[in-house]
Amino acid sequence: MYADVILPLPFSDLYTYSVPVEMRNKITRGSRVIVPFGNRKYYTAIVYKIKESASNDFKIKEIHSLSDSKPVVNEQQLKLWEWISFYYLSPLGDVYKTALPSSMKSEDLKSKFKPKTETYIRVNPELDPVNITGIIGRAAKQLSLYNQIEIILTYNKIEHISKKEVSELEGYSVSVLNGLVKKDILQTFEVETGRLNTAIKPTRKPHPLNEFQQKAFNEIINCFKSRHTCLLHGVTSSGKTEIYIHLIEEALSTGKQTLYLVPEIALTTQLTQRLQTVFGNKIGIYHSKINDNERAEIWNKMLSKEPYEIILGVRSSIFLPYQNLGLVIIDEEHEMSYKQQEPSPRYHARDTAIMLAHFYDAKTILGSATPSLESYFNTRNGKYGIVTLLERYGNILMPEIQIENTFELRKRRKMKSLLTPLLIEQMKLILENGEQVILFRNRRGYASLVECEHCAWTPKCKRCDVTLTYHKKRNRLNCHYCNASYTMPAVCPSCNSENLKTLGQGTEQLEEEVERLFPEYIVGRMDLDTTRGKDAYEKIIDDFQSKRIHILIGTQMLSKGLDFENVGIVGIISSDSLLNYPDFRSHERGFQLMMQAAGRAGRKNRQGKVIIQSADPDQPVYGYILNYDYDGFFNSQMAERKMFNYPPFSRLISIVLKHKTEQKVEDGSEYLAALLHQSFGDKVKGPSKPIVSFIQRYHLREILLKLDYSFSIKKTREIIRSAETIFHTKEDFKYVMIHFDVDKV
Ligand SMILES: [Zn+2]
Ligand SMILES: [Zn+2]
């Protein structure tokens, strides 16, 4: 008997081992096993297939041990892994590595996963209580502690008490307790307590839906009768979350599990509380800021007889072992952060979650105020159903949007700060009224460029071909590509001039400026630099919600579906930078970001305000934003995409080659492009130099494949794989790395 297993290695999809006799009745597909590999190395592997025979019998090693009594990966998960590996051109081992919490795949023999335990204390049940005082003798402190414990146990009718509680008793000390344990009067033992909080009780029923929400809810239920996937296109603040809560209730009532996906950890923070008030401990939270042992516990709970009925999480939560998934909610489905960039597999969590739902025969609801062009296109061609919700919840009006021409204002010397005079004036009014302000700037740090005024020297990263961003508070220059950090020179290293100027203002500079303009108000900042700690998001969001912060400055992180009640005005600073980068999706992204940012403004019964600062306000995209015209924007973009054959009219596969020698990557990319050209012809674009073509000491070249949707994925995969094999058998290119990014965003 043999087993094909998945190892966390990228070389081959499967590895064959023989199954020891004693394991034969226990091992199955999805089992976790420990196997030897190479010289004296062991790996945790997942059994993919059990089989009767194997070729090359003499070379085959034996499985060392079986880790659990039951499989830890179920059939649907394995199907999903296979699909990801197939579609995203990624080895199964990479998918396995991404899917399992690290403590479950630790490479040493003893599992790294340590259950959390608590020490308990009991009275030795074999002792006669009458004799105890005799044994204790004249140790008065021991007697006192013993008596207190005895009283608590008797009074509460319990057998044992936690050491923590004992330590709080009067006259307690470690030596007194140890004395009693040494005399075998008291005994200690460990109890596995788990890290998961199971005591949360629901405090409310779902709120009744208003007439518009109810109509949307009914339409969704109706849509699910004929379709698996439905898009809920609901404007910002239309109360989509409450509709989801009712859909979850519906799933629960039929005994089905729900997966609720959000694009950012920051969003789980706000949603957790809200969902817990309705669903209590039925809900589990899963994302990367949860420690690894806790993630392993959640995984195990999902395999148990009492799994979580609802999982709220970011993209990694699609990998959990669901038992009877019935509903998948993908909120803010347009967010590009659903796509994994590094490492492989570069999967899109939205598209993968739809596939996951398919394996469970579950329904998927996609939600957004600004749907991705792909999803909206899928409703037009009938693949998805669509439900539209145009009314904001509780009579909140859509904010009034105004565009300020900073180019004109600069010409007339009216711009004395990063903010236009109108925005400053409006902010003053809003703040005096007790309302709050949100300012967006899609660039973190203090300045994106430092330049010598004398010789035009600018600091660059030694490992990447990018200029460094200046972070003033830390007085460091940082590379936003590889995170390298450098000291800020006091004088120009090239000409010794002291005049180093900064250009391109980031969030840190905006914060400094706003603090100067509004000294009497508290300013907060939310970007990658301020949210590194585990609870950092929570703290900023909480401070803003409870009005300890009056003005919140942030990057796009702040636009993603966070709900605040008291925001009177939203300012978008340098909006053009959102539109002006060379990518066919830049306008889609800019439109979504600005509409989403605008959606943060608004209070009950009072219209919110949005001011967009642009130096080029004649761009057509601003017209669609001013009029809240999603359809108009969609149609104009689709015309362009069609003309240039971009997604959703084609499938885009990016192939990136990496090597430390530029010539090698140059020659290699030419060679690979030629190989691909034999099968794909003019669908092969490039090779070309990416905008940043040197990252972390590696030179990069990119080849793009723009394939028709009708072209078979299987065929595509075969051609690419065979080209890759031929490429790597060439001595010259053996060590040139190739990365695939299917449906690149
Ligand atoms: Zn200089
Ligand atoms: Zn760098």
Side-chain angles (χ1 to χ4, degrees):
M1 194 166 164
Y2 299 89
D4 284 340
V5 306
I6 306 167
L7 284 174
L9 300 169
F11 315 118
S12 163
D13 278 336
L14 298 169
Y15 301 80
T16 305
Y17 287 84
S18 68
V19 179
V21 183
E22 70 275 10
M23 228 179 263
R24 288 187 184 174
N25 295 325
K26 298 174 202 152
I27 196 166
T28 142
R29 184 163 145 95
S31 290
R32 192 161 62 130
V33 290
I34 290 167
V35 296
F37 190 87
N39 289 335
R40 289 190 301 181
K41 196 161 173 62
Y42 286 86
Y43 282 114
T44 299
I46 299 292
V47 174
Y48 179 80
K49 193 178 162 190
I50 302 287
K51 55 187 190 182
E52 291 303 319
S53 60
S55 49
N56 280 333
D57 202 1
F58 65 97
K59 270 188 184 170
I60 291 174
K61 292 181 183 171
E62 198 172 59
I63 291 176
H64 175 277
S65 56
L66 186 64
S67 305
D68 322 83
S69 54
K70 285 189 176 142
V72 295
V73 178
N74 68 29
E75 191 53 41
Q76 286 91 341
Q77 284 176 289
L78 284 170
K79 273 192 188 163
L80 190 73
W81 292 12
E82 267 171 70
W83 181 81
I84 292 173
S85 158
F86 171 77
Y87 187 83
Y88 292 105
L89 297 163
S90 146
L92 261 180
D94 282 358
V95 186
Y96 160 52
K97 258 163 87 175
T98 301
L100 254 74
S102 9
S103 61
M104 289 181 70
K105 49 177 196 268
S106 62
E107 286 159 24
D108 50 37
L109 280 177
K110 273 187 224 144
S111 162
K112 268 191 208 154
F113 173 66
K114 286 192 189 67
K116 194 176 175 184
T117 59
E118 198 172 343
T119 309
Y120 277 80
I121 289 162
R122 69 179 169 208
V123 177
N124 182 352
E126 280 160 22
L127 280 183
D128 184 346
V130 183
N131 294 337
I132 287 174
T133 32
I135 302 172
I136 294 177
R138 275 187 274 168
K141 283 181 179 168
Q142 289 184 7
L143 190 61
S144 154
L145 187 67
Y146 167 75
N147 282 335
Q148 289 180 72
I149 293 172
E150 181 60 37
I151 288 166
I152 292 172
L153 295 179
T154 319
Y155 184 78
N156 293 305
K157 296 190 179 83
I158 48 174
E159 302 286 319
H160 49 256
I161 176 172
S162 75
K163 189 176 172 187
K164 193 168 163 271
E165 280 177 83
V166 170
S167 72
E168 282 157 12
L169 296 175
E170 215 181 289
Y172 165 87
S173 77
V174 179
S175 63
V176 173
L177 179 65
N178 286 348
L180 287 163
V181 173
K182 219 169 172 183
K183 288 175 179 164
D184 202 26
I185 293 167
L186 297 182
Q187 296 173 332
T188 61
F189 60 100
E190 301 290 311
V191 173
E192 211 178 292
T193 55
R195 295 165 177 84
L196 311 177
N197 190 350
T198 52
I200 305 154
K201 296 267 179 302
T203 55
R204 71 162 173 105
K205 290 252 170 258
H207 293 308
L209 299 176
N210 70 20
E211 108 184 69
F212 308 110
Q213 288 171 316
Q214 188 63 47
K215 189 168 163 280
F217 175 83
N218 294 344
E219 283 176 24
I220 293 167
I221 297 291
N222 206 23
C223 172
F224 281 160
K225 283 179 189 152
S226 58
R227 286 196 176 78
H228 292 288
T229 309
C230 177
L231 172 70
L232 173 59
H233 181 196
V235 295
T236 51
S237 300
S238 55
K240 290 191 286 290
T241 311
E242 209 59 33
I243 297 177
Y244 299 150
I245 289 176
H246 282 251
L247 288 169
I248 296 171
E249 279 263 306
E250 190 83 8
L252 280 175
S253 72
T254 57
K256 298 277 191 177
Q257 289 172 302
T258 298
L259 163 61
Y260 191 143
L261 274 181
V262 289
E264 287 272 329
I265 296 173
L267 282 177
T268 63
T269 309
Q270 249 196 357
L271 274 170
T272 301
Q273 251 193 342
R274 190 161 167 194
L275 295 176
Q276 276 173 346
T277 60
V278 183
F279 300 112
N281 61 9
K282 290 195 175 96
I283 179 163
I285 318 293
Y286 197 75
H287 54 69
S288 61
K289 286 205 176 177
I290 287 173
N291 80 48
D292 196 71
N293 278 327
E294 193 173 332
R295 280 202 276 170
E297 277 192 27
I298 292 173
W299 189 288
N300 287 328
K301 187 169 163 65
M302 292 303 279
L303 290 168
S304 75
K305 285 197 182 102
E306 283 187 335
Y308 281 119
E309 285 158 276
I310 307 152
I311 287 288
L312 169 67
V314 295
R315 56 175 187 249
S316 55
S317 47
I318 59 170
F319 292 112
L320 282 169
Y322 297 92
Q323 297 187 25
N324 54 355
L325 188 64
L327 176 68
V328 176
I329 298 164
I330 306 170
D331 200 17
E332 309 296 337
E333 66 84 26
H334 62 277
E335 282 296 344
M336 314 259 173
S337 46
Y338 276 126
K339 184 75 157 60
Q340 164 130 327
Q341 305 288 346
E342 273 314 320
S344 151
R346 294 173 185 83
Y347 65 99
H348 199 306
R350 176 193 62 210
D351 301 344
T352 311
I354 291 172
M355 196 43 79
L356 177 77
H358 171 71
F359 292 141
Y360 283 91
D361 203 19
K363 303 293 183 192
T364 305
I365 182 86
L366 304 166
S368 176
T370 51
S372 63
L373 298 192
E374 278 89 349
S375 294
Y376 207 67
F377 180 64
N378 279 333
T379 69
R380 290 271 175 105
N381 66 23
K383 210 171 151 192
Y384 301 163
I386 181 160
V387 171
T388 311
L389 181 58
L390 294 174
E391 290 78 14
R392 281 189 134 192
Y393 187 80
N395 298 324
I396 303 171
L397 295 165
M398 289 306 275
E400 178 202 346
I401 303 177
Q402 207 168 335
I403 297 185
E404 283 268 277
N405 188 334
T406 52
F407 180 77
E408 281 296 318
L409 288 166
R410 274 209 181 88
K411 220 166 71 182
R412 291 190 276 128
R413 302 190 180 278
K414 291 267 171 63
M415 283 290 280
K416 294 192 177 70
S417 106
L418 295 174
L419 311 178
T420 64
L422 179 75
L423 181 54
I424 296 172
E425 184 196 309
Q426 293 286 333
M427 280 172 67
K428 266 190 191 134
L429 288 174
I430 292 285
L431 289 164
E432 277 162 16
N433 203 26
E435 294 171 43
Q436 291 164 292
V437 176
I438 286 180
L439 297 177
F440 281 94
R441 175 71 180 106
N442 212 24
R443 184 183 278 160
R444 66 191 169 94
Y446 188 83
S448 56
L449 192 68
V450 173
E451 196 184 83
C452 170
E453 287 198 66
H454 187 69
C455 76
W457 170 88
T458 73
K460 281 192 157 189
C461 181
K462 292 196 176 82
R463 298 147 44 113
C464 315
D465 182 24
V466 289
T467 54
L468 297 171
T469 300
Y470 177 47
H471 291 254
K472 193 177 179 184
K473 280 191 184 149
R474 283 177 269 148
N475 196 32
R476 304 286 294 176
L477 291 164
N478 284 357
C479 171
H480 286 183
Y481 276 79
C482 72
N483 290 325
S485 179
Y486 303 82
T487 31
M488 173 77 177
V491 294
C492 171
S494 164
C495 74
N496 286 326
S497 155
E498 282 174 14
N499 298 327
L500 294 174
K501 64 175 177 186
T502 57
L503 297 160
Q505 309 85 352
T507 45
E508 200 187 339
Q509 189 167 161
L510 184 59
E511 183 187 26
E512 187 183 273
E513 176 111 351
V514 172
E515 276 171 347
R516 185 179 61 79
L517 287 166
F518 298 93
E520 63 275 43
Y521 294 102
I522 308 290
V523 182
R525 172 158 64 94
M526 186 163 144
D527 57 27
L528 211 58
D529 299 309
T530 62
T531 54
R532 293 194 200 272
K534 187 179 182 247
D535 302 318
Y537 287 116
E538 250 161 273
K539 174 133 184 28
I540 298 172
I541 291 169
D542 195 50
D543 281 351
F544 193 61
Q545 235 153 11
S546 48
K547 301 184 196 171
R548 283 189 292 272
I549 290 174
H550 304 113
I551 304 166
L552 185 55
I553 291 167
T555 52
Q556 74 218 32
M557 194 183 267
L558 196 45
S559 72
K560 295 179 182 177
L562 290 167
D563 279 323
F564 300 111
E565 281 176 350
N566 190 41
V567 178
I569 191 165
V570 168
I572 301 171
I573 316 301
S574 314
S575 58
D576 309 312
S577 64
L578 300 169
L579 305 169
N580 297 346
Y581 63 89
D583 181 284
F584 72 94
R585 285 186 215 268
S586 67
H587 277 239
E588 180 184 4
R589 230 179 274 200
F591 176 83
Q592 286 163 344
L593 204 127
M594 282 187 254
M595 293 302 281
Q596 292 285 342
R600 304 308 120 210
R603 310 183 59 204
K604 239 176 206 169
N605 306 318
R606 222 180 98 93
Q607 192 176 23
K609 220 172 171 25
V610 178
I611 291 180
I612 298 175
Q613 296 190 175
S614 163
D616 187 12
D618 292 333
Q619 298 206 57
V621 62
Y622 289 115
Y624 299 118
I625 290 172
L626 281 174
N627 296 313
Y628 290 99
D629 184 5
Y630 177 84
D631 273 10
F633 174 75
F634 174 82
N635 291 332
S636 76
Q637 281 295 299
M638 289 301 271
E640 264 181 46
R641 300 270 179 103
K642 190 159 192 176
M643 190 155 37
F644 298 106
N645 197 28
Y646 273 120
F649 298 100
S650 65
R651 174 174 283 125
L652 210 59
I653 302 176
S654 154
I655 304 171
V656 173
L657 293 90
K658 288 170 82 170
H659 198 272
K660 288 193 173 167
T661 316
E662 186 161 21
Q663 196 57 49
K664 249 194 182 143
V665 80
E666 181 86 40
D667 296 345
S669 59
E670 291 289 349
Y671 178 67
L672 184 64
L675 280 175
L676 292 167
H677 201 267
Q678 292 169 9
S679 305
F680 293 121
D682 63 356
K683 307 286 180 201
V684 182
K685 314 286 172 194
S688 63
K689 232 174 156 170
I691 304 164
V692 179
S693 63
F694 181 61
I695 300 178
Q696 297 193 336
R697 298 186 206 277
Y698 281 91
H699 293 275
L700 315 182
R701 289 295 182 275
E702 186 182 31
I703 299 168
L704 270 181
L705 293 179
K706 252 188 195 177
L707 303 173
D708 292 343
Y709 261 95
S710 54
F711 200 87
S712 134
I713 301 170
K714 194 161 174 260
K715 194 87 196 287
T716 306
R717 190 189 156 85
E718 278 164 15
I719 297 168
I720 291 176
R721 282 288 181 227
S722 100
E724 189 190 8
T725 310
I726 297 170
F727 180 84
H728 275 144
T729 47
K730 275 207 103 159
E731 197 52 40
D732 261 4
F733 305 138
K734 213 169 161 182
Y735 300 108
V736 176
M737 288 188 277
I738 305 180
H739 286 181
F740 300 101
D741 191 348
V742 178
D743 298 338
K744 184 190 175 192
V745 297

